[in-house]
């Protein structure tokens, strides 16, 4: 029996009226738009029946082509003519990062969606298609939408409830454009800042990323897909280990033992599964040389079996093509991916070839019909759960939420809470609203730079790409007299008459591998030249860093009086100004360890490296303001090794016949940080089958689990958790003993 998940309580949206399709044998049947609501003709169309019954009935009516079509996802712009949706029974359409409509606005997106959906509804069984898009920090393909901070900034807020509210706001805007499914959240644990997708991660620790799985409830609703109006299907991605590749190479190779793979990269996916996430997208990357898209153990045995994921697995964009290392895709790659556990293939272009190849693989027995039926069951369960059969077209009531004042206010709050104050020498911040300010830097007045990749296009771009408030505009709106704010991008014209100079610098937009930084990780020449001009004026320099990751800035830091990490804030730059002028005290905490040098990468909490700013660092005003110049942080001498005190508490998290899963929380009950811990307990008749977040040894009838390299450090009063599965009874678990160590 699989561990219960929230999906077990999947709520089918009960329809008040059913848009009924007159069933004909012809594939070209058009929905009888004028059909008056009438009793459901067939069981699968009856929203009062349990979802499983509806799925059973529908599956019994589907041909092999119907079923293969449901497993096929094609890019909107590749479907020519649009009637191919009906002809080939396509179950899903997507817009990739560069997908757009013209004119680009919410109404056009909704009209486009409805037109494509009506094609799907015109098929004999009238199975609605599900439309997916990368709404990763807002309905970010739609001009005029609210663009929220990218995940790295949301991780800095340490506010899961806020992130859930953001998920809900994004779901409303996405629903207003017709789209039913977002390829978000990325639950990647970014372990090497060289990775071009670092900004898509909530942070470098499994705990922080796991805590932000609340966004799944925001997207879908607390009761799972379809449990609230404007529910959109969420996607936990990219399973598994995308953020742990060697050298941070995008789509690279994650070289880890299974215990550490489970420890670092699995917990966020477990959290998403337990919240009823409807889909999981696989990673392009490999685990110890084996591509995830062909990894049956990780996809079927671990994700679907052990974790009990009962949604559907979708491939990444043309990722199946990569399995044999050659361009294009083959029958062997198609069957390998589908047999590994891929339920829906993001083809995304040659859908006719894909359908033909998969049909061939089924007919020759290399893909069993049971796999096809399982994939369809998973996909259809989500479509029924979302209420697509009852409400297949855009809910226009939500179209007006796109870019709404309410959502922009929420985004501004998120921007405020995501700012991390790293340095504040002499309390130069907060700035006085009466100050005479010089603002410079390429990102001071640039919504495109503030938003980063996945904004209006795949890679994003600099410039005025969508309506919003730049940092400069936010500053001018905040001060008493805007005429006392001078802006010159390059710093030309600054003199000693200014109270302070604010330099908004950092990275220009990028996405995925194009953002990999295998070499230097410092500021570009324009920024360095701008900063040199500001420094030469003798005016105190406040740096606002707009970037998708920590940058290598240790050499320049002494010249800066203050440093504020703004990450990629999106359209509401007023939130940055709120912190600069003290309308909001900075509360953000680093989601990533900040390197002292790029040569330190990867650098993460607990690895013993000498960081410029540690994970969790963040100053505030008042108590946190530095009365004196900030000395460059030097490593505090590690105290001599000694005993530490800790407790270990075991809690059963799920059970099945003959076995169970437990989480063990280790708490530092002493007054000095632990640098290591070890727990131990009598096994009795039980046998431990798996451990994550810890290293297991068994001897003399006792199990001992010790910390891993990355989670030995536990602050006084802090906790760390590891988990295990075991055969045997979950009743009467012994209380593990705990031994802590401090110092090296
Ligand atoms: C991309 C990304 C993935 C995205 C997909 C569809 O290559 O890896 O995150 O969801 O394609 O755009």
């Amino acid at each position: 029996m699989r561990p219960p998940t929230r999906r077990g309580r999947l709520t089918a949206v009960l329809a008040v009226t059913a848009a009924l399709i007159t069933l004909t044998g012809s594939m070209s049947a058009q929905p009888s738009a004028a059909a008056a609501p009438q009793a459901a003709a067939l069981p699968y169309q009856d929203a009062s029946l349990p979802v499983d019954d509806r799925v059973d009935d529908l599956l019994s009516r589907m041909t092999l082509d119907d079923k293969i079509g449901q497993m096929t996802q094609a890019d909107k712009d590749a479907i020519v003519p649009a009637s191919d949706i009906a002809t080939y029974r396509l179950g899903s359409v997507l817009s990739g990062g560069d997908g757009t409509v013209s004119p680009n606005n919410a109404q056009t997106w909704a009209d486009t969606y409805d037109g494509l959906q009506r094609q799907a509804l015109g098929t004999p069984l009238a199975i609605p298609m599900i439309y997916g898009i990368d709404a990763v920090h807002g309905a970010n393909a739609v001009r005029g939408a609210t663009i929220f901070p990218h995940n790295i900034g949301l991780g800095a807020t340490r506010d899961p409830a806020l992130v859930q509210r953001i998920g809900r706001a994004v779901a409303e805007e996405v629903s207003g454009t017709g789209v039913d499914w977002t390829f978000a959240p990325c639950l990647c644990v970014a372990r090497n800042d060289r990775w071009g997708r670092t900004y898509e991660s909530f942070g470098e620790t499994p705990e922080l990323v796991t805590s932000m799985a609340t966004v799944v409830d925001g997207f879908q609703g607390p009761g799972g897909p379809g449990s609230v109006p404007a529910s959109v299907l969420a996607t936990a991605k990219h399973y598994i280990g995308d953020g742990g590749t060697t050298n941070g190479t995008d789509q690279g190779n994650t070289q880890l033992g299974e215990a550490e793979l489970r420890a670092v990269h699995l917990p966020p996916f477990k959290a998403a599964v337990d919240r009823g996430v409807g889909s999981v997208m696989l990673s392009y990357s490999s685990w110890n040389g084996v591509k995830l898209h062909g990894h049956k153990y990780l996809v079927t045995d671990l994700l679907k079996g052990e974790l009990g994921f009962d949604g559907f697995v979708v491939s990444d964009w043309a990722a199946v093509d990569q399995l044999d290392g050659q361009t294009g895709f083959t029958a062997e790659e198609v069957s390998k991916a589908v047999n590994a556990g891929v339920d829906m293939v993001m083809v995304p272009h040659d859908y006719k070839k894909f359908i033909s190849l998969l049909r061939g693989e089924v007919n020759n027995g290399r893909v069993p019909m049971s796999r096809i039926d399982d994939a369809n069951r998973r996909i259809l369960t989500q479509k029924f759960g979302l209420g697509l059969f009852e409400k297949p077209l855009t809910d226009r009531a939500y179209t007006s939420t796109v870019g709404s004042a309410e959502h922009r206010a929420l985004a501004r709050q998120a921007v405020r809470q995501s700012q991390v104050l790293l340095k504040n020498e002499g309390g130069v911040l907060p700035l006085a609203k009466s100050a005479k300010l010089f603002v410079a830097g390429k990102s001071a007045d640039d919504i495109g730079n503030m938003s980063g990749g996945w904004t209006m296009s795949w890679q994003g771009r600099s410039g005025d790409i969508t309506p919003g408030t730049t940092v400069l505009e936010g500053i001018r709106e905040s001060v008493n007299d805007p005429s006392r704010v001078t802006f010159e991008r390059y710093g030309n014209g600054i003199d000693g008459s200014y109270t302070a100079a604010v330099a908004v610098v950092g990275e220009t937009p990028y996405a995925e591998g194009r953002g990999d930084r295998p070499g230097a990780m410092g500021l570009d020449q324009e920024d360095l030249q701008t900063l040199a001009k500001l420094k030469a004026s003798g005016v105190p320099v406040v740096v606002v860093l707009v970037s998708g990751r920590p940058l290598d800035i240790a050499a320049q830091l002494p010249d800066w009086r203050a440093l504020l990490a703004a990450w990629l804030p999106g359209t509401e730059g007023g939130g940055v100004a709120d912190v600069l002028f003290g309308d909001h005290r900075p509360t953000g905490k680093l989601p990533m360890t900040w390197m002292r040098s790029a040569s330190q990468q990867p650098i993460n909490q607990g690895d013993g490296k000498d960081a410029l700013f540690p994970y969790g660092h963040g100053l505030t005003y008042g108590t946190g303001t530095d009365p004196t110049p900030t000395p460059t942080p030097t490593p505090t001498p590690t105290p001599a090794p000694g005993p530490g005190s800790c407790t270990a508490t075991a809690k059963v998290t799920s059970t099945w016949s003959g076995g169970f899963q437990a989480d063990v929380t280790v708490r530092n009950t002493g007054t000095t940080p632990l640098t290591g811990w070890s727990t131990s307990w009598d096994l009795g008749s039980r046998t431990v089958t798996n451990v994550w977040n810890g290293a297991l040894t068994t001897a003399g009838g006792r199990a001992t689990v010790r910390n891993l390299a990355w989670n030995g450090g536990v602050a006084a009063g802090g906790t760390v958790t590891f988990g295990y599965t075991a055969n045997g009874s979950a009743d009467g678990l012994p209380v593990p003993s705990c031994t802590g160590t401090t110092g090296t």
Side-chain angles (χ1 to χ4, degrees), residues 506-695:
E507 294 186 302
T508 51
Y510 53 82
E512 302 191 42
R514 296 190 197 177
D516 283 3
R517 295 188 69 165
M521 298 180 72
L523 296 171
D524 64 22
Q525 282 310 305
E526 174 184 340
D527 288 345
L528 293 172
Q529 288 163 8
T530 301
L531 287 163
K533 286 197 189 85
L534 302 181
K535 176 187 176 184
S537 73
V539 167
V541 176
V542 171
V543 171
V544 175
L545 198 60
V546 173
S547 66
R549 63 187 124 203
L551 295 182
D552 185 349
I553 48 86
Q556 291 82 32
L557 185 62
D559 296 334
W560 305 345
R561 294 286 291 281
L563 171 59
L564 188 67
W567 314 109
L568 296 173
T571 52
E572 306 312 312
V576 177
D578 292 339
V579 171
L580 288 174
F581 294 100
D583 291 336
H584 175 86
R585 286 158 50 107
T587 52
K589 302 294 180 193
L590 282 182
M592 320 291 288
T593 301
W594 202 289
M595 73 193 107
R596 189 178 290 280
S597 159
S599 63
Q600 293 179 301
Q601 292 297 338
I603 181 170
N604 295 294
Q605 182 197 38
D607 66 10
K609 295 181 181 178
D610 169 26
L612 183 62
F613 300 111
Y615 173 86
H617 176 70
L619 301 175
T620 191
Y621 297 146
T623 52
T625 301
D626 297 36
T628 57
T630 307
T632 306
T634 50
T636 48
T638 306
S645 58
C646 59
T647 59
T649 312
K651 184 179 76 161
V652 175
T653 51
S654 57
T655 61
W656 52 87
S657 59
F660 65 93
Q661 181 171 312
D663 281 349
V664 180
T665 299
V666 172
R667 179 177 298 279
N668 179 356
T669 51
T671 55
T672 51
L674 292 182
T675 54
W677 45 265
S678 170
T679 65
S680 183
W681 66 93
D682 282 332
L683 282 166
S685 59
R686 303 178 181 98
T687 54
V688 174
T689 51
N690 270 310
V691 173
W692 50 95
N693 285 4

Side-chain angles (χ1 to χ4, degrees), residues 94-97 134 183 197 200 237-238 281 284 316-317 346 454 458 512:
L94 87 145
S95 283
D134 294 277
F183 304 135
R197 307 193 76 164
E200 296 185 63
K237 74 180 187 181
H238 308 84
M281 184 183 291
Y284 284 114
D316 204 334
W317 179 281
M346 186 186 296
W454 298 103
W458 178 41
E512 302 191 42

Side-chain angles (χ1 to χ4, degrees), residues 291 319-330 332-333 336:
K291 281 279 185 185
V320 170
D321 309 17
Q322 296 182 359
L323 286 179
D324 64 3
Q326 311 300 318
T327 54
F329 58 93
T330 64
E332 291 71 26
E333 287 175 313
K336 183 173 181 58

Side-chain angles (χ1 to χ4, degrees), residues 424-574:
N424 190 18
E425 189 176 297
V428 67
L429 291 180
L431 297 169
K433 294 186 177 182
S434 57
K436 182 183 178 185
L437 298 174
F438 193 103
V439 179
K442 64 171 182 277
S443 298
D445 198 29
D446 192 307
I447 289 285
N449 287 358
M450 290 164 57
S451 301
W454 298 103
T455 316
M456 301 306 126
S457 65
W458 178 41
Q459 293 294 314
R461 65 176 178 82
S462 301
D464 184 16
I465 62 171
T466 191
T469 304
T470 65
V471 175
L472 173 65
E473 289 165 338
I475 290 171
R476 284 182 165 148
E477 288 168 7
S478 298
V479 297
N480 301 337
D481 177 0
S483 70
R484 289 171 59 77
V485 177
T486 301
F487 169 61
E488 207 289 323
R489 170 174 169 160
Y490 304 99
N492 295 319
I494 189 169
D495 60 35
S497 69
Y498 291 91
T499 313
V502 179
V504 187
V505 297
E507 294 186 302
T508 51
Y510 53 82
E512 302 191 42
R514 296 190 197 177
D516 283 3
R517 295 188 69 165
M521 298 180 72
L523 296 171
D524 64 22
Q525 282 310 305
E526 174 184 340
D527 288 345
L528 293 172
Q529 288 163 8
T530 301
L531 287 163
K533 286 197 189 85
L534 302 181
K535 176 187 176 184
S537 73
V539 167
V541 176
V542 171
V543 171
V544 175
L545 198 60
V546 173
S547 66
R549 63 187 124 203
L551 295 182
D552 185 349
I553 48 86
Q556 291 82 32
L557 185 62
D559 296 334
W560 305 345
R561 294 286 291 281
L563 171 59
L564 188 67
W567 314 109
L568 296 173
T571 52
E572 306 312 312

Side-chain angles (χ1 to χ4, degrees), residues 220-240:
Q220 300 187 149
S227 60
V228 294
S231 167
V232 293
L233 201 70
T235 310
K237 74 180 187 181
H238 308 84
Y239 183 83
I240 182 175

